């Protein structure tokens, strides 16, 4: 509830490409983990995920459109993150950078499970749909809105993704 | 409970506090830039109003003078002549920070300083006078909520079909979606990325059949020879129409965590070589076709830029290398060094480049200094012998044409 109040207070001022310090603090504290997690779901290392998150926040700073509410804002950020992940896949040849050791940046060892690794092997749209559906708990309708496709397409991504996972692993997800 | 396990493993992934702080700092910097831009815009608007007023008054004076002279002596009609104006170069406003090297952090790892050197056609030690500055016509984020400027669907289809023809593809499928235009075939996928570039990514199955091009013990010269041969092959030759081919090979080492060793990576650019160094530099920077290779040394992708993304603003006088070093020493540079530092005596290589980050207003030349990072042990753990370099970008244009020169920490000599 407190988060919502802060959001409204900050956003009542209107956007027009100017952000208060309070808004910058809020948006990073609120979404940095979510976006980083999503980026890590799609890319191979921490440095790439950090690049993506930074890029998304820079786009946020430049964005002049206003958001209806916090949900809309989150959907926008997720959408831009998905696009940046896709762009990175296409632009990977432009990466000429050194990887930071994972534990150095996060203070943790890489504990990604086998299951997560298997999900990461799925084609982009399948793993994206699986992430949004199972982790972000978005409905098929919401995923369709974020990814700008029909609901049927999302259902099919989920179905095929789960089917592929089932082949890769013994079991896949429970509802399969 | 696989779904639970999936969630649990994702829960463990969090952005570090250090990274969050870095993000906030970058966003504050971006905010300062936005404010500066708005202020400049307002000033420009005021200047425009002022200019309009002056021009209006000037026209009234001319009209009155004309009427006056016309009325007293018709033979003196030609007295009032238009004074020719010299073309003035606009002042370029620099931003407080830019995402150099793409996004986030830029670093180069190699064993010897020589590894950094490559065939930039522009010799920084020679005296040069001017280089062009371009306006970026395709600033990211300004066209649609997420994207960059696109061609019409018809044009995208025709470009893709044209590439299919060049690559001798017989069967393929084209799909035009809201976010991309793509051609898919057994050989490759071709993506048109807005008006920026076309990327050809070769399919895994096709690559399996390909010969290995780059081998582990190759050096830059052997790679160069192999590329010269590769681009003449019938399936690729139509993509490289250059009359005089320039090939630039850049080497970098990246960590191969699976094999716990450093792996050499070659980034190859093919461009049209010209008589004048400046022209070759511009071709190398803006028109070069880039080739990348996979871990087995097979051709992975070809990336071709579109040339319609920039507009010439003018030819600007540039500073020489001594002056550029002075600027660097005084802290007038951009860097994205991830917190690493260096000193003037650790500069290993200098070249002139254009920063082409899609978010910039201008594409202008910079002296790019590669300097050995001060604290090597924190960077790479796989190999003790590997050295780590950071990049500093110093604006190469003369001071009188630049506003808001970047100010950072000065670089010491030791």
């Amino acid at each position: 509830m407190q988060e919502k109040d802060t959001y409204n207070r900050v956003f009542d001022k209107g956007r027009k490409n100017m952000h208060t310090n309070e808004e910058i603090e809020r948006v990073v504290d609120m979404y940095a983990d979510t976006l980083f997690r999503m980026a890590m779901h799609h890319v191979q290392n921490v440095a790439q995920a950090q690049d993506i998150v930074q890029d998304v926040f820079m786009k946020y700073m430049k964005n002049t459109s206003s958001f209806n509410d916090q949900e809309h804002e989150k959907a926008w950020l997720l959408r831009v993150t998905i696009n940046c992940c896709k762009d990175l896949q296409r632009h990977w040849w432009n990466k000429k950078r050194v990887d930071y050791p994972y534990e150095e940046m996060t203070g943790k060892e890489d504990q990604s499970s086998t299951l997560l690794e298997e999900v990461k092997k799925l084609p982009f749209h399948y793993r994206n749909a699986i992430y949004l559906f199972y982790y972000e708990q978005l409905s098929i309708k919401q995923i369709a809105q974020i990814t700008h496709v029909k609901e049927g397409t999302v259902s099919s991504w989920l179905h095929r993704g789960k089917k592929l996972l089932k082949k890769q692993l013994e079991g896949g997800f429970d509802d399969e | 409970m696989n779904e639970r396990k999936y969630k649990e493993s994702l829960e463990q992934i969090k952005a570090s506090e250090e990274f969050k702080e870095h993000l906030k700092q970058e966003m504050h910097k971006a905010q300062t830039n936005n404010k500066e831009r708005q202020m400049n815009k307002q000033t420009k608007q005021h200047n425009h109003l002022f200019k309009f007023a002056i021009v209006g008054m000037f026209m009234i004076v001319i009209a009155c003078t004309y009427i006056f002279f016309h009325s007293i002596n018709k033979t003196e009609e030609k007295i009032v002549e238009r004074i020719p104006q010299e073309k003035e170069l606009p002042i370029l406003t620099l931003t407080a920070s830019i995402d150099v090297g793409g996004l986030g952090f830029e670093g180069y790892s190699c064993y010897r300083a020589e590894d950094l050197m490559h065939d930039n056609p522009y010799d920084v030690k020679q005296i040069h006078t001017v280089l062009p500055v371009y306006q970026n016509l395709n600033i990211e984020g300004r066209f649609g909520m997420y994207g960059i400027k696109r061609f019409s669907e018809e044009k995208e289809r025709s470009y893709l079909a044209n590439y299919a023809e060049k690559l001798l593809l017989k069967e393929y499928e084209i799909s035009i979606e809201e976010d991309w235009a793509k051609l898919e075939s057994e050989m490759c996928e071709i993506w048109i990325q807005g008006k920026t570039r076309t990327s050809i990514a070769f399919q895994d199955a096709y690559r399996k059949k390909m010969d290995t091009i780059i081998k582990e013990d190759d050096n830059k010269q052997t790679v160069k020879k192999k590329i010269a041969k590769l681009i003449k092959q019938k399936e690729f030759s139509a993509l490289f129409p250059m009359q005089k081919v320039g090939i630039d090979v850049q080497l970098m080492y990246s960590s191969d965590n699976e094999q716990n060793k450093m792996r050499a990576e070659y980034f190859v650019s093919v461009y049209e070589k010209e008589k004048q160094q400046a022209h070759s530099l511009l071709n190398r920077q803006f028109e070069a076709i880039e080739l990348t290779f996979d871990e087995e040394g097979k051709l992975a992708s070809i990336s071709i830029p579109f040339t319609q993304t920039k507009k010439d603003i003018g030819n600007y006088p540039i500073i020489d290398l001594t002056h550029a070093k002075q600027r660097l020493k005084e802290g007038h540079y951009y860097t994205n060094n991830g917190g690493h530092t260096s000193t003037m005596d650790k500069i290993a290589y200098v070249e002139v480049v254009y920063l082409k980050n899609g978010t910039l207003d201008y594409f202008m030349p910079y002296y790019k200094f590669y300097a050995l990072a001060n604290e090597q042990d924190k960077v790479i753990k796989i190999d003790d012998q590997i050295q780590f370099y950071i990049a500093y970008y110093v604006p190469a244009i003369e001071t009188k044409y630049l506003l808001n020169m970047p100010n950072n920490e000065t670089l010491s000599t030791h």
Side-chain angles (χ1 to χ4, degrees), chain B residues 98-274:
Chain B
I98 48 181
D99 292 329
V100 290
L103 308 156
F105 168 66
E106 185 185 23
Y108 298 85
S109 50
C110 53
Y111 287 96
R112 301 164 305 154
E114 288 79 20
D115 293 341
L116 295 166
M117 296 168 191
H118 62 103
D119 290 338
N120 185 324
Y122 195 82
D123 184 355
V124 288
K125 285 177 186 157
Q126 277 187 21
I127 304 291
H128 301 280
T129 52
V130 291
L131 277 175
V133 171
Y134 300 102
Q135 187 188 346
N136 180 5
L137 296 177
N138 199 26
I139 298 174
E140 275 176 27
R142 294 209 184 156
F143 305 98
M145 209 160 178
Y146 310 108
I148 43 179
K149 216 171 185 175
R150 292 270 297 262
F151 292 110
S152 67
E153 187 178 330
E154 196 185 340
K155 255 195 178 167
E156 287 182 336
R157 277 186 193 281
S158 114
Y159 280 130
L160 287 168
N162 187 256
Y163 280 115
E165 199 177 316
K166 284 181 175 174
L167 287 162
L168 313 173
L169 304 178
K170 283 175 188 159
E171 286 180 21
Y172 55 84
E173 198 176 309
I174 290 177
S175 53
I176 311 281
E177 300 285 339
E178 191 199 347
D179 286 343
W180 68 79
K182 184 178 80 164
L183 178 149
E184 203 160 0
S185 72
E186 274 188 15
M187 180 195 199
C188 60
E189 279 185 3
I190 307 177
W191 298 85
I192 292 190
Q193 291 154 10
K195 287 189 175 179
T196 58
R197 53 180 54 236
T198 300
S199 301
I200 301 165
F202 295 98
Q203 305 279 18
D204 291 348
Y206 180 80
R207 269 191 283 141
K208 272 182 191 166
K209 287 185 247 164
M210 267 187 196
D211 291 333
T212 297
I213 296 157
I214 296 176
K215 292 180 180 159
E216 214 167 326
D217 54 351
D218 279 346
N219 60 32
K220 283 184 206 165
Q221 281 312 313
T222 49
V223 171
K224 212 168 162 177
K225 281 180 190 164
K226 287 177 175 182
I227 299 302
K229 211 171 154 189
L230 175 79
I231 60 175
K232 284 181 188 159
Q233 285 181 17
K234 67 171 181 183
E235 62 267 47
F236 304 124
S237 61
L239 296 175
F240 300 92
M242 297 89 184
Q243 289 183 339
K244 197 175 176 195
V245 178
I247 298 174
D248 186 10
V249 179
Q250 285 175 279
L251 167 65
M252 258 199 62
Y253 288 88
S254 62
S255 41
D256 184 339
N257 292 323
E258 276 180 24
Q259 297 197 20
N260 203 33
K261 65 169 192 176
M262 298 304 288
R263 193 168 67 83
E265 278 187 276
Y266 288 97
F267 298 91
V268 177
S269 305
V270 181
Y271 62 96
E272 177 85 58
K273 220 170 180 179
E274 297 196 40

Side-chain angles (χ1 to χ4, degrees), chain B residues 191-383:
Chain B
W191 298 85
I192 292 190
Q193 291 154 10
K195 287 189 175 179
T196 58
R197 53 180 54 236
T198 300
S199 301
I200 301 165
F202 295 98
Q203 305 279 18
D204 291 348
Y206 180 80
R207 269 191 283 141
K208 272 182 191 166
K209 287 185 247 164
M210 267 187 196
D211 291 333
T212 297
I213 296 157
I214 296 176
K215 292 180 180 159
E216 214 167 326
D217 54 351
D218 279 346
N219 60 32
K220 283 184 206 165
Q221 281 312 313
T222 49
V223 171
K224 212 168 162 177
K225 281 180 190 164
K226 287 177 175 182
I227 299 302
K229 211 171 154 189
L230 175 79
I231 60 175
K232 284 181 188 159
Q233 285 181 17
K234 67 171 181 183
E235 62 267 47
F236 304 124
S237 61
L239 296 175
F240 300 92
M242 297 89 184
Q243 289 183 339
K244 197 175 176 195
V245 178
I247 298 174
D248 186 10
V249 179
Q250 285 175 279
L251 167 65
M252 258 199 62
Y253 288 88
S254 62
S255 41
D256 184 339
N257 292 323
E258 276 180 24
Q259 297 197 20
N260 203 33
K261 65 169 192 176
M262 298 304 288
R263 193 168 67 83
E265 278 187 276
Y266 288 97
F267 298 91
V268 177
S269 305
V270 181
Y271 62 96
E272 177 85 58
K273 220 170 180 179
E274 297 196 40
K275 273 186 189 170
Q276 285 191 37
Q277 281 191 19
H279 293 169
S280 293
L281 172 76
L282 296 174
N283 291 345
R284 164 68 185 86
Q285 295 289 309
F286 293 102
E287 318 288 338
I289 298 178
E290 293 171 6
L291 284 75
T292 60
F293 299 86
D294 64 15
E295 289 171 10
E296 291 171 26
K298 293 179 176 184
L299 183 62
S301 74
I302 298 175
S303 172
I304 305 158
F306 284 110
T307 55
Q308 303 161 339
T309 52
K310 62 190 199 301
K311 185 184 159 195
D312 202 339
I313 296 177
N315 290 327
Y316 284 75
I318 59 161
I319 57 171
D320 63 18
L321 183 57
T322 316
H323 189 168
K325 280 186 180 168
Q326 189 58 31
R327 270 191 189 169
L328 173 68
K329 199 174 167 185
E330 287 166 5
H332 304 311
Y333 57 79
Y334 292 114
T335 189
N336 221 333
N337 55 23
H340 298 283
T341 54
S342 186
T343 50
M344 290 296 290
D345 57 323
K346 288 183 177 174
I347 294 167
Y349 181 51
V350 192
E351 61 176 330
V352 167
V353 298
Y354 277 76
L355 278 177
K356 293 168 286 175
N357 184 312
T359 59
L360 295 173
D361 290 328
Y362 315 113
F363 298 138
M364 57 181 268
Y366 291 83
Y367 280 92
K368 182 178 181 182
F369 292 89
Y370 297 74
L372 188 66
N374 281 335
E375 292 173 43
Q376 291 287 311
D377 56 336
K378 283 188 179 174
V379 187
I380 294 151
K381 291 178 176 172
I382 287 182
D383 190 334

Side-chain angles (χ1 to χ4, degrees), chain A residues 16-29 32-33 36-37 40-41 49-55 57-63 65-67 72 75-76 79-80 83 86-88 90-113 115-116 119 125 127 130-135 137 146-149 169-175, chain B residues 1-28 30-31 34-35 37-38 99 101-109 139-141 145-146 177-180 191-193 196-197 199-201 250 252-255 257 262 265 267 269 284 290-294 300-303 336-340 359-360 378-381 388:
Chain A
K16 292 185 182 171
N17 211 10
M18 298 303 263
H19 301 262
T20 60
N21 292 347
E22 195 184 7
E23 195 181 327
I24 289 172
E25 293 282 328
R26 177 191 67 81
V27 81
V28 172
D29 291 340
D33 282 339
F36 181 72
R37 191 175 292 126
M40 280 297 286
H41 195 262
Q50 287 181 337
D51 281 357
I52 285 170
V53 175
Q54 184 167 334
D55 193 23
F57 280 120
M58 287 302 135
K59 283 187 163 71
Y60 176 88
M61 296 299 287
K62 284 181 183 167
N63 174 41
S65 318
S66 55
F67 300 115
H72 183 202
W76 187 89
R79 165 79 179 163
V80 178
N83 280 343
K86 271 196 285 192
D87 284 348
L88 187 89
R90 293 177 217 157
H91 284 280
W92 62 269
W93 44 82
N94 285 337
K95 308 300 287 178
K96 299 176 184 177
R97 179 122 41 96
V98 180
D99 297 348
Y100 270 123
Y102 182 86
E103 63 273 18
E104 200 165 285
M105 297 305 293
T106 58
K108 284 178 181 177
E109 294 289 328
D110 188 352
Q111 294 173 354
S112 303
S113 72
L115 177 59
L116 180 57
V119 174
H125 289 306
R127 68 170 181 268
I130 284 178
Y131 176 83
L132 294 173
F133 188 77
Y134 287 102
Y135 187 77
Q137 306 271 301
I146 286 181
T147 51
H148 289 193
V149 293
L169 291 161
E170 278 181 23
F173 287 119
D174 287 347
D175 56 350
Chain B
M1 290 295 287
N2 281 341
E3 190 186 328
R4 188 177 53 80
K5 276 185 198 166
Y6 172 66
K7 276 187 193 167
E8 276 172 4
S9 55
L10 278 167
E11 281 296 344
Q12 289 171 7
I13 301 173
K14 280 182 182 164
S16 67
E17 289 307 315
E18 191 188 352
F19 175 58
K20 284 181 189 169
E21 275 313 305
H22 168 76
L23 276 176
K24 285 174 188 171
Q25 280 172 16
E26 289 300 311
M27 288 167 83
H28 284 301
Q31 182 61 2
N34 282 347
K35 280 180 189 164
R37 273 187 198 176
Q38 287 208 351
D99 292 329
L103 308 156
F105 168 66
E106 185 185 23
Y108 298 85
S109 50
I139 298 174
E140 275 176 27
M145 209 160 178
Y146 310 108
E177 300 285 339
E178 191 199 347
D179 286 343
W180 68 79
W191 298 85
I192 292 190
Q193 291 154 10
T196 58
R197 53 180 54 236
S199 301
I200 301 165
Q250 285 175 279
M252 258 199 62
Y253 288 88
S254 62
S255 41
N257 292 323
M262 298 304 288
E265 278 187 276
F267 298 91
S269 305
R284 164 68 185 86
E290 293 171 6
L291 284 75
T292 60
F293 299 86
D294 64 15
S301 74
I302 298 175
S303 172
N336 221 333
N337 55 23
H340 298 283
T359 59
L360 295 173
K378 283 188 179 174
V379 187
I380 294 151
K381 291 178 176 172
F388 181 69

